[in-house]
Amino acid sequence: MHSDTEAPTAGPQIRSVDDIPADTRRGGDVRTLLSPKTVGSTSGFMGVATIASGDRISEHYHPYSEEFIYVVSGKLDAQLDGKSHELRARQGLLIPINVRHRLVNPSEEEAFLVFHLGPLAPRPDLGHVDTE
């Protein structure tokens, strides 16, 4: 297993959600598993998020990347440019480039999702724009 300071080696890379610290700055428990920093990916990154009942991931958009979301368990209210879309377990969602989005868990149960973004922004600080 490589630390974040070691350069990833060529070949298959495996990361466990248990080894990735939670990012809770924007709501939810977000863990980016496979990224340029963790595995040296060059076309995008993926991870998982857990959103507790009543919690949300605050509104933001990606100026360079599409975001793909797959709901493993629970329900979400995906608010895209202000319009609500109900997502249930076993459903996927494509969020186009530049679309403002917020993920809200209105249900009584925890929601768990997998996300992938690609292509990468030219620099990490350009990839995510907070709007709230």
Side-chain angles (χ1 to χ4, degrees):
M1 180 74 61
H2 294 283
S3 73
D4 284 344
T5 58
E6 293 179 48
T9 59
Q13 299 289 317
I14 298 171
R15 295 293 182 270
S16 170
V17 70
D18 299 324
D19 297 331
I20 305 296
D23 179 348
T24 58
R25 293 172 293 169
R26 296 175 181 98
D29 175 324
V30 179
R31 297 173 192 244
T32 302
L33 290 155
L34 308 175
S35 70
K37 185 176 178 181
T38 63
V39 297
S41 60
T42 60
S43 64
F45 63 94
M46 72 80 63
V48 298
T50 304
I51 306 173
S53 174
D55 197 5
R56 69 181 184 175
I57 294 175
S58 61
E59 186 184 80
H60 61 282
Y61 67 94
H62 308 283
Y64 295 92
S65 308
E66 294 177 316
E67 184 167 3
F68 302 83
I69 294 176
Y70 177 75
V71 180
V72 177
S73 62
K75 295 179 185 175
L76 290 173
D77 176 14
Q79 300 170 2
L80 309 181
D81 282 340
K83 183 176 179 189
S84 288
H85 304 271
E86 181 182 304
L87 286 175
R88 298 179 315 275
R90 301 172 57 92
Q91 289 186 318
L93 169 68
L94 168 64
I95 302 171
I97 292 172
N98 283 323
V99 170
R100 291 175 180 230
H101 53 285
R102 172 188 303 115
L103 301 175
V104 179
N105 181 353
S107 74
E108 295 299 316
E109 68 177 288
E110 183 174 88
F112 182 71
L113 61 98
V114 176
F115 64 88
H116 174 269
L117 283 88
L120 293 172
R123 296 190 329 249
D125 61 309
L126 298 176
H128 183 107
V129 179
D130 289 315
T131 55
E132 62 180 10

